Structures are given as C-alpha cells and as structure tokens.
Amino acid sequence: MRILMVSAELAPLAKTGGLADAVAGLSSALADKGHDVRVLMPEYAEPSGATVYDGGGFTVALAESAPVPVYRIASPEIGSDGRIYAGDESDAARFWAFSRAATEAAAALAWRPDIVHCHDWHAALVPALAARQPALEGAGTVLTLHNIGFQGAYPRNALPEDAAAFFASIGDGAGRDWINFLETGIRRASAVTTVSPTYAREISTPELGMGLDALLRERGDDFVGILNGVDYKQWSPETDPFITPRFRIGDGDGKRRVKRALVTELGLTDDAPLIGAVSRLFEQKGIDLLVAALPVLLERTRARFAVLGSGDPDLESALTAAAKAQPDRVAFRCGYDEGLAHRIIAGSDCLVVPSRYEPCGLTQLYALRYGTVPIVRKTGGLADTVTHYDPHTGDGTGSVFEHADVTGLIWGITTALEWYASPTDWERLRRNAERLDFSWRRQSEPYEALYWRIAERRARPSTPS
Ligand code: ADP
C-alpha cells in the first residue's frame, strides 16, 4: 500500500517523546514489509535538502530518502527558530499552516497515497482538509491519538483568518468561542486509533476522556487501540548505539558492566540496586510521587536512583535538591540526552514509570529488552505490557502497583527490591522480561489490517440499506 504519515515528530530528526519513536518505528516496519511509506513533517529550522515542491507560501524539501522518504515542510508561519512546540497559542497557527501545506503537498505529489495516517492534534485537521482535495479522494485517513491530554484546543480568536473561516465552514465548534483540532480529526478520519487497548477503553470514559469520550464512543468499531512497538535496532543490548559494551540478551556480566559504567558516569556507588527513570517531568508522569517517596525509600532501602528528565521547574529543583543532599545515592540529570536515556534504561536494575495515565509508554518496553525490570503503575499501556511477577509460579515481568500515590509507589519499588534480594527470582524475572517481543514488525500488523479494511470499504460502492 502507499501510506503517507503526517506527524510533527519523527525520530531522530525531531523528538520530544514517544510520538517521534512510534512514527519512525511504524514507518520503517511497514517499509520493511514492502509498503511504500513516506513521511511529511514540519521543518523547524532553516530548510536543508533539495526543494521538491514550492507551494507559494511554503516549500517542501526531501530530507531523507531511504528506506522511507521524509519530506519537510518549511514556511514562515511554522518558523525556523528550531523549536518543535512554542507551547502557547502561536502553535494553533503553526500547525494549521503545517496541516494545510501537508494536504496541498500530498495532493501535488505525483504519488497517490491509499492511506493518509495522521498523528496527534498537530496533524488532526488533515482528514478534513483532504476531503476538499480532489487528488486525495481515493485516500482513506487514520488519526492516531498518542496522548489525549494534548488536543490543540484554542480560542477562536487565536486562529489566523483562513483557519477561522475553515472551522466555520465545517461547522466544528459552532456556538463556542474555542475550537479543538483533535475533535475535528476524531469526527472526520476514516478510523481513529490510540496506542494501547487499555488506553482506548479508558479514554472512552468520562473519567479519562478529557472531554472527547462521547465522540470516541460514537466512532464505535472505527476507534481501536493498537499497542506501540519497539525498534530493536535502536533499543536492544546487542545493537544499542549508545552503550559500551554491547551485550547479548541474557548476558548478566555484560549488563553489569554497563551498570558499572553508568554508576561511575553518574557518581553513584555500585554495590546496590539501581533504579532508573527517564521521563518528561510533568504531572501525568507521576515523577512528583517519586520525589515524595524518595526520603522513605532512601531510609528503608539501599537503592540508588538515576533520573533523567526535564519539564516542570518545581520538579526539576526538587530532584536537584535530592541529588545534592545524597550525591552517592541519587543522581539527577536535567535536560534531554538520548545517549544517557539509553544508558539508564540499559544499565539500571529497575526502571520506574509511576504515571497517572499512560497511553502506551515506551521506556518500560525498552527496559524489558535489557533485562531491566519495570516498576509501573497499572494504567493504559503500562497495564497492557507489564505483568506483576508471582514468585510461586515464576510468571510475570515486573512490579505493577495499583494506585497513583506515594504508598502505591513505595509498595511497587520495595516489592521489586525483595525479588532483587533473591537471585533465583531476579534471574527468572529478567529472563521473562527479555523474552518478550514488542517489535514493530509484529505491532504493525494490526495497522496493516486496518489500512486494508479502510481501503476495501472505500473501494466498495456503499450498499443501500
Ligand atoms: P511520552 O511520549 O509521553 O514522553 P513515552 O514513554 O511514550 O512517553 O516516550 C518517551 C520517549 O522519550 C522515550 O524514547 C524516552 O527515552 C524519551 N525521553 C523522555 N525524556 C527524555 C530525556 N530527558 N532525554 C532523552 N530521552 C528522553
């Protein structure tokens, strides 16, 4: 099939989180299977690469060609200061401009997609815009929700005139003084997906749907949860570009050497269990629970902590203070560091993901492959990918706690540390974890099935009822 991905992020070109990894992994897995996949994304800096199309107000350059051609759209509205998200109302105009240009560019390519697969609110207007392009008439559209917490909801007066006119013409947000990019996409895509089955169920309820649950329920069978996958070329101890030494899956000595290098890098001490966390520092991720639990955990256990992340300034300073107070037991690196993320995930004994909600979560999937035992809150994709270890049967892949509070988290961590103290249990647990296969080769299958279903439905003349 000819599949066009439209996304604000794509690893490694532009990444703030899981969206970038997911679009890259899915695209390359589909290409490996013989599909003709291309990606349209914004250019956030000065354009480089050959211009392949000049749309008047925007240009399209071919940034990468094999195995998946990546086209980058540059325009004065998107800007060129390097920022992916401005984080204020100007993003409405930026991603409106991107979506409009992407649709125009898609229609102008000599290549006709069967499926236009749009990701998150930044590309959520594309299905509605594509419906107005005769050249895209044959294409089905998919919208994937990587996080329903980011909807692109803006006051109508934050929109440029042509965007306001567009919303008025489709009637979305009528009677309100604000519009919502994601809402428009959910209404109009041929099918809507999110990144895990449990999260799909959760956001279909008023508790977690963040105002869009009724609309999702209306989509019936056209709204499904498909679990994300992992690009094991990037995230596997045998091929990881950022760890030394690389080691074979299951090689405990290799892993210990990566741990030793990591604790030295971070100035920690080596003779204790090491618990890592790599996360955006926001309320969703529950890192505040970890901060609150630290004093108890430091007193009651021998564990060391290695945290990498950035975000909320209060959390950043709390973690900085904790690391300063006990530098041999707590390390905090503030910022974004791809290499250190790999080393923490590969070298730690456990990786903690205490999210309040989590659409899929990728770090726990990465951790599993390295025999790093995940400690996760039972929510969304975390609940779908980690099962609580049972020492009696020897089944399970991590420590799963129920409640997003300090008591829950302390229980999750101390339970994992009890297993750590028993070499037989720990060995068993690690083996169970390493054996799992969340490769995109597998996880892309439900997407292929969905694409075919949409294409068939569009090819079939509608049957009179
Ligand atoms: P989300 O997309 O909500 O941030 P995910 O778990 O789906 O969460 O994806 C997070 C991705 O971002 C992972 O690849 C993780 O390694 C990466 N990441 C998060 N914070 C950092 C950081 N500070 N430095 C490097 N990589 C990070």
Side-chain angles (χ1 to χ4, degrees):
M1 295 189 99
R2 290 181 302 267
I3 302 150
L4 180 66
M5 300 285 179
V6 188
S7 174
E9 296 187 32
L10 181 77
L13 300 177
K15 170 169 168 176
T16 69
L19 168 66
D21 286 2
V23 180
L26 174 60
S27 301
S28 77
L30 291 168
D32 284 347
K33 290 177 172 177
H35 297 289
D36 183 352
V37 186
R38 305 186 182 195
V39 181
L40 269 176
M41 66 183 291
E43 174 60 74
Y44 299 106
E46 290 302 327
S48 58
T51 301
V52 293
Y53 181 70
D54 189 333
F58 66 93
T59 57
V60 183
L62 185 61
E64 266 179 27
S65 50
V68 176
V70 179
Y71 298 94
R72 300 203 70 165
I73 296 179
S75 83
E77 291 94 339
I78 296 169
S80 55
D81 64 5
R83 277 184 308 176
I84 298 179
Y85 308 118
D88 57 28
E89 286 180 1
S90 70
D91 279 340
R94 296 177 70 222
F95 289 104
W96 155 257
F98 167 62
S99 302
R100 210 194 37 197
T103 315
E104 245 179 84
L109 287 172
W111 178 87
R112 293 271 166 272
D114 299 306
I115 295 290
V116 179
H117 189 159
C118 312
H119 298 269
D120 273 352
W121 76 265
H122 327 101
L125 299 183
V126 171
L129 287 161
R132 301 182 162 193
Q133 289 282 354
L136 295 174
E137 221 166 5
T141 52
V142 176
L143 173 66
T144 295
L145 317 175
H146 294 263
N147 188 335
I148 206 155
F150 301 95
Q151 302 187 355
Y154 293 102
R156 208 176 276 276
N157 61 19
L159 296 175
E161 240 168 68
D162 54 347
F166 170 75
F167 276 101
S169 73
I170 59 174
D172 282 15
R176 299 190 316 230
D177 57 4
W178 52 278
I179 51 82
N180 185 318
F181 280 55
L182 209 54
E183 172 189 28
T184 293
I186 293 171
R187 272 188 214 287
R188 286 180 177 71
S190 314
V192 179
T193 74
T194 189
V195 290
S196 72
T198 294
Y199 191 59
R201 280 192 299 277
E202 289 171 347
I203 61 178
S204 300
T205 68
E207 293 72 41
L208 287 166
M210 298 195 173
L212 295 176
D213 49 288
L215 211 52
L216 289 169
R217 289 195 301 274
E218 271 172 35
R219 294 300 318 248
D221 293 343
D222 286 334
F223 171 51
V224 291
I226 302 175
L227 197 68
N228 273 338
V230 178
D231 178 354
Y232 286 125
K233 288 194 286 291
Q234 289 298 314
W235 295 98
S236 177
E238 290 161 317
T239 52
D240 192 312
F242 296 101
I243 60 167
T244 32
R246 293 189 186 141
F247 60 94
R248 264 182 306 122
I249 292 170
D251 170 9
D253 280 340
K255 185 176 167 75
R256 264 188 292 281
R257 279 195 281 169
V258 173
K259 176 181 174 184
R260 210 165 303 136
L262 175 67
V263 296
T264 307
E265 176 181 355
L266 297 175
L268 299 169
T269 36
D270 187 19
D271 60 346
L274 178 64
I275 298 176
V278 176
S279 180
R280 292 184 295 113
L281 303 179
F282 291 102
E283 203 199 345
Q284 178 209 334
K285 297 292 182 180
I287 299 296
D288 55 311
L289 303 176
L290 182 63
V291 170
L294 265 181
V296 176
L297 291 167
L298 289 170
E299 199 192 297
R300 278 202 220 151
T301 76
R302 296 174 31 242
R304 273 56 173 158
F305 295 86
V307 183
L308 168 65
S310 65
D312 181 344
D314 289 342
L315 283 176
E316 289 179 356
S317 25
L319 285 162
T320 306
K324 210 170 155 203
Q326 296 204 51
D328 57 329
R329 295 195 59 190
V330 182
F332 171 54
R333 293 294 179 271
C334 185
Y336 186 90
D337 184 337
E338 188 72 27
L340 184 57
H342 281 250
R343 292 191 291 279
I344 290 178
I345 289 171
S348 299
D349 296 297
C350 303
L351 188 86
V352 62
V353 192
S355 306
R356 291 195 163 77
Y357 77 89
E358 192 58 74
C360 176
L362 291 175
T363 55
Q364 86 282 7
L365 293 181
Y366 301 153
L368 288 164
R369 191 62 153 196
Y370 296 86
T372 302
V373 172
I375 300 168
V376 304
R377 157 108 206 288
K378 190 173 184 178
T379 182
L382 300 173
D384 288 341
T385 55
V386 183
T387 49
H388 193 71
Y389 179 68
D390 179 346
H392 299 295
T393 62
D395 294 332
T397 54
S399 176
V400 183
F401 60 96
E402 195 82 34
H403 300 290
D405 54 31
V406 175
T407 317
L409 176 60
I410 291 175
W411 181 85
I413 291 178
T414 49
T415 303
L417 292 175
E418 279 165 27
W419 300 327
Y420 181 88
S422 151
T424 339
D425 282 317
W426 201 247
E427 182 70 14
R428 186 74 191 252
L429 190 45
R430 285 190 35 210
R431 291 214 182 289
N432 293 347
E434 290 156 354
R435 261 205 299 267
L436 297 178
D437 178 5
F438 290 106
S439 62
W440 269 115
R441 188 181 44 75
R442 282 179 64 154
Q443 306 306 123
S444 59
E445 281 170 17
Y447 281 107
E448 290 180 281
L450 177 70
Y451 297 158
W452 287 117
R453 209 163 69 228
I454 293 170
E456 270 165 28
R457 195 162 71 190
R458 293 181 74 81
R460 215 174 28 218
S462 51
T463 38
S465 51

